[in-house]
Amino acid sequence: MKILFSPIGNTDPWRNDRDGAMLNIVRHYKPDLAFLFFTESIWEGSNRIPPHKHFDWEKIIKNVSENTLVEYQIEKVDRAHDFDSYKELFHNYLVNLETRYPTAKFLLNVTSGTPQMETTLCLEYITYPSKKKCIQVSTPLKNSNAHTKHAKPIDQDIDLEIVNEEESKFDSRCQEISIISFRETMIRNQVKSLIENYDYEAVLWLLDAQKAFYDGSKIRSCLKKVTKDIKTHEVFPDIVKSYKDCDLQKALFHFLLLDMRFKRRDIAEVLIRVKSIAEFVMEKYLSRKYRNLILYEKGKPFLNVSYNEKFIKDYCQVLKAKNYRFDERRVLSFPAYYDFIKILEPNSPMMKEMVCVNRINDIRNNVAHKLENLDLEEKNNEKKIIEAVRAVKKMINMVFPTIKQEDYEYFNKLNEEIRKLL
């Protein structure tokens, strides 16, 4: 089913003894339904223009397409010259028509209305292009209609006969337009907005949906690998190329993901991840600085009970103060590393940063393990999480001092590359 949606501005059913735009579309597309829109002022007419209510619109349309049904709507529009006046109006009409006719395809007449009406329909098309075509109609002589005489309702029967005879000699003046420049501008703006929010998956989805008219192949190619690496936690090739230390590569990569989610305000996700990164970094710090403190069995870290008698004694005292029992077979994690640093270097810069991470441990466990909601306002939780993220970055820099600060701007540099490609 085909439905013509046609606003009628200060135009006549015909001009220069030939079809006007709306009638030309009806003649050549034979829509099942023609839905005409008039403002009250155009319907009632003015000193310059005859009242459109005096034309027999159903007769005019059926004269060129006898099976086309006709509906029209007259609306009082207070600010007819305001481009925003028609936005919701036209959208609601089209939504209602789609609801009534779910399988229909729409022909949007972007020639017969006022400039405000035509622009609104163009924007409707580029925003909701599914099952729609924009139809532009050239004038009979492919020039302006200025200074031509207006049609008169009293002469409509004679005029229709003349028009039908004239139009039969010529090809259709209808042209289906994609309004590519409008749509490309919209796509570019959407892409810019999405990359500002680091939503690369959404950019790919958007560009894939617009392949027919917008060549975003370079951007897609740039982002496909990045999104795959993010989803699979494969360290970015640029990082692998820059650094040989695999532990450094992982720490930097995962902090970039953490920082990206932090900037996107995925605070609960950040809360869950920040402790894991801190744990990884501290394991590397302790194993490198205090050799033989940590032993590995099947890749899992355990405390070496033969490391240092005084250290083991101090550690048992720390556990006892927390009502914990020493268990040499317990796999080490962040709380243990925190206690180790508290014993080995209580006044160190590393201890200072670990305190910030340790403050969020209980909040993190409630969200991650008890599936509780995160209340950012309670007990300065948001501030604590922000401090923990900053602390983890400082910890990474202490453990891996060769990381270049510019590499922390990986996603911002990626965004700049995309902007250039746009």
Side-chain angles (χ1 to χ4, degrees), residues 38-185:
F38 303 87
T39 63
E40 190 177 85
S41 59
I42 290 172
W43 184 254
E44 296 296 335
S46 65
N47 293 331
R48 293 189 306 108
I49 300 168
H52 281 54
K53 66 182 180 181
H54 291 161
F55 288 102
D56 188 340
W57 292 96
E58 185 168 357
K59 180 178 180 179
I60 290 169
I61 288 173
K62 286 187 174 293
N63 191 271
V64 297
S65 178
E66 63 179 353
N67 294 322
T68 297
L69 300 175
V70 181
E71 293 183 20
Y72 51 85
Q73 185 72 36
I74 302 100
E75 286 277 358
K76 180 177 174 59
V77 179
D78 294 327
R79 300 190 310 278
H81 296 290
D82 187 341
F83 281 84
D84 291 332
S85 295
Y86 303 96
K87 179 176 176 290
E88 294 300 325
L89 205 57
F90 286 2
H91 180 70
N92 289 337
Y93 283 140
L94 286 165
V95 168
N96 288 335
L97 286 168
E98 285 183 280
T99 302
R100 289 168 56 193
Y101 307 102
T103 61
K105 295 183 178 180
F106 289 84
L107 310 172
L108 307 183
N109 178 3
V110 296
T111 306
S112 293
T114 64
Q116 293 84 351
M117 295 174 179
E118 293 166 5
T119 302
T120 299
L121 272 191
C122 287
L123 292 173
E124 178 74 19
Y125 171 65
I126 64 174
T127 308
Y128 308 101
S130 177
K131 298 193 295 184
K132 296 182 180 70
K133 291 181 180 179
C134 255
I135 312 297
Q136 187 178 52
V137 183
S138 63
T139 57
L141 301 178
K142 300 190 188 306
N143 56 20
S144 173
N145 272 328
H147 308 301
T148 58
K149 294 181 179 179
H150 290 287
K152 296 180 180 179
I154 196 172
D155 298 326
Q156 61 186 2
D157 289 338
I158 298 172
D159 287 340
L160 272 171
E161 186 177 339
I162 296 171
V163 165
N164 285 336
E165 183 178 350
E166 288 293 318
E167 283 291 339
S168 64
K169 303 173 187 177
F170 298 95
D171 294 331
S172 170
R173 290 181 280 114
C174 301
Q175 179 185 0
E176 296 177 14
I177 58 174
S178 298
I179 322 179
I180 291 177
S181 59
F182 277 36
R183 296 180 71 184
E184 285 187 345
T185 299

Side-chain angles (χ1 to χ4, degrees), residues 304-323:
N304 180 5
V305 294
S306 302
Y307 172 70
N308 178 291
E309 185 177 344
K310 183 179 184 307
F311 173 81
I312 299 298
K313 182 179 180 181
D314 290 343
Y315 182 51
C316 287
Q317 289 296 322
V318 170
L319 291 176
K320 184 178 181 180
K322 296 191 289 187
N323 294 319

